[in-house]
Amino acid sequence: MQADTFSLASGFAATATACGLKPNGALDMALIATDAPCSAAGLFTTNRIKAAPVIYDQDVLAANASAIRAVVVNAGNANACTGPQGDANCRAMAAMTAERLECRADQVLVLSTGVIGRQLDMTKVAQGVASLTGPTAHRGAGAAARAIMTTDTRPKVAARTTSVAGKTITIAGICKGAGMIHPNMATMLAIVTTDAQASPATLDRALRYAANRSFNRVSVDGDTSTNDTLILLASGASGVRVSDTPEADDCSFDQFTVLLTEVCIDLAKQIARDGEGATRLVEIVVSGAQDEQQAHQVANAIARSPLVKTAIHGGDPNWGRIVCAAGYSGAAIAPDRLALWFGPADSRVQLVANGLPLDADLAAASALLRQDPVFITLDLGLGSAHTTVWTCDFSKEYVEINAHYTT
């Protein structure tokens, strides 16, 4: 999906601007706003060190989740580990935006991303807010997706639609993330919009389900940020209500949640593909587990292993690194039941059966690791549960990016 032609769900408008928070002069502030109050839900980082906007947004949603008017985002500065001044700057950013939109400050959510431990330049922020709500702003969700990028190499957008009783429901979102990406929560910034009508409680349930099968199944480097935020906003502009007991003109909760999950998986996979220094997306399926939790525990260990990720980068079919990661995952696996394949289902190569190596074609296995995407399937031989996790390879560029991030 092309960012330049991408649109959010009906009822939402997006703008972007450059106010100098990014040293290179690129777009660095974004605004997503509605003319009428909308319902909202949010999930946030599980890191005990939380950025000022995370704490602020949690408080806003706890008190006012049914009347949100806007989300304002800055990139280039995380506003994390900034103390009382950082808290005040976050509140000021919301207040400035609210004044321009003629709404209350507690109707504005704030997101920040960038370098930790530096105070926001509020003169630049004030200029940015004025531009976002003025005639000089760059308009459109594609521009907003670019403005929230940090080390991302491309904007990330996704949308899905469905028809209910002759009416169309849209779910459309943007996100950013390339480094410090790992569960638990949704390790990046994401704003997802829908024109369905739903209560904050309904949105919260749907969002938790979707995140657990998307953003909580993606890892780039095993680090969980101080700023991770996933926001879901519902304008109700379609006139279609989401309900657990749907009537003729309603959308069922399950139908809505499936659509939301598809959007979130799309965005999560884009994050993994755009991992810092990554050259290809990696999809890891763990099957034959006793339950989904066990499958995820094993897949997660494989996805965050630097040895696995560097082997993939080099096309080295060193399958021992994969079963080793499964063994130290903490899950109660049975080594003599493991089976391992490289490649997609229609052309994969099996390397392990019953925990022992096969006389496999290693050249073919190496070639499969050089494809994009890379597919790895590990069967535990213990049950029928399975899960999928997405990650990426590790290259020299990852080290170069993060060795000089602030310098």
Side-chain angles (χ1 to χ4, degrees):
M1 185 173 292
Q2 295 295 319
D4 291 339
T5 57
F6 177 77
S7 297
L8 297 174
S10 57
F12 297 93
T15 56
T17 192
C19 67
L21 293 175
K22 290 180 181 176
N24 62 3
L27 296 174
D28 53 20
M29 287 193 72
L31 176 68
I32 293 174
T34 66
D35 291 331
C38 65
S39 299
L43 297 176
F44 301 90
T45 184
T46 56
N47 195 318
R48 289 187 180 274
I49 299 176
K50 293 176 172 56
V54 169
I55 298 170
Y56 171 84
D57 290 347
Q58 288 176 320
D59 290 343
V60 168
L61 290 176
N64 200 38
S66 61
I68 300 301
R69 283 284 308 279
V71 181
V72 62
V73 191
N74 77 271
N77 187 309
N79 195 9
C81 301
T82 47
Q85 185 60 53
D87 296 336
N89 289 341
C90 177
R91 292 192 298 271
M93 192 167 160
M96 292 175 190
T97 306
E99 183 177 4
R100 301 286 297 194
L101 296 177
E102 298 182 349
C103 66
R104 303 191 312 271
D106 66 355
Q107 293 180 291
V108 178
L109 298 170
V110 178
L111 279 63
S112 297
T113 182
V115 179
I116 293 170
R118 297 180 182 176
Q119 296 293 346
L120 273 169
D121 185 329
M122 294 307 291
T123 299
K124 293 179 179 179
V125 169
Q127 293 170 348
V129 170
S131 178
L132 287 171
T133 53
T136 62
H138 296 258
R139 303 197 177 277
R146 289 186 175 88
I148 66 176
M149 292 165 48
T150 49
T151 58
D152 307 63
T153 66
R154 69 203 77 165
K156 300 169 179 66
V157 301
R160 298 289 189 278
T161 61
T162 191
S163 180
V164 177
K167 297 181 179 179
T168 299
I169 290 178
T170 297
I171 302 178
I174 66 175
C175 76
K176 63 82 56 180
M180 296 186 81
I181 303 295
H182 194 68
N184 290 293
M185 201 290 298
T187 42
M188 72 305 125
L189 299 185
I191 305 163
V192 181
T193 63
T194 180
D195 50 18
Q197 178 185 343
S199 69
T202 297
L203 295 179
D204 182 78
R205 276 199 300 139
L207 192 61
R208 290 180 185 278
Y209 180 95
N212 282 337
R213 287 154 183 81
S214 57
F215 296 120
N216 281 345
R217 295 293 185 269
V218 63
S219 180
V220 168
D221 49 21
D223 279 310
T224 301
S225 171
T226 55
N227 291 61
D228 306 334
T229 301
L230 168 60
I231 299 295
L232 175 59
L233 305 168
S235 68
S238 69
V240 179
R241 183 174 66 103
V242 179
S243 173
D244 284 314
T245 55
E247 299 178 2
D249 295 336
D250 292 340
C251 177
S252 73
F253 176 81
D254 290 344
Q255 183 179 3
F256 177 80
T257 303
V258 167
L259 200 67
L260 175 63
T261 303
E262 289 181 6
V263 171
C264 291
I265 287 175
D266 192 337
L267 291 172
K269 290 172 69 174
Q270 291 181 55
I271 288 174
R273 183 179 291 279
D274 194 31
E276 290 174 343
T279 65
R280 45 203 181 271
L281 176 70
V282 181
E283 180 173 293
I284 300 168
V285 174
V286 172
S287 59
Q290 293 173 326
D291 52 42
E292 188 177 358
Q293 181 179 357
Q294 182 188 49
H296 183 219
Q297 190 172 355
V298 173
N300 197 35
I302 297 168
R304 71 184 300 176
S305 166
L307 291 178
V308 171
K309 292 154 72 70
T310 50
I312 292 169
H313 180 69
D316 180 6
N318 190 348
W319 57 265
R321 294 180 176 181
I322 295 170
V323 298
C324 178
Y328 67 60
S329 68
I333 65 171
D336 60 351
R337 295 189 181 186
L338 297 179
L340 176 67
W341 295 264
F342 289 170
D346 59 351
S347 59
R348 63 187 186 177
V349 171
Q350 185 170 5
L351 295 97
V352 176
N354 299 317
L356 297 174
L358 298 174
D359 185 19
D361 184 343
L362 295 184
S366 176
L368 290 168
L369 290 184
R370 296 180 185 276
Q371 293 182 355
D372 186 13
V374 173
F375 295 95
I376 296 172
T377 303
L378 179 68
D379 191 280
L380 304 183
L382 299 173
S384 59
H386 61 89
T387 197
T388 303
V389 166
W390 297 277
T391 186
C392 58
D393 61 330
F394 257 170
S395 70
K396 295 178 182 178
E397 189 178 352
Y398 177 85
V399 177
E400 292 171 358
I401 290 169
N402 286 287
H404 308 288
Y405 188 75
T406 66
T407 55

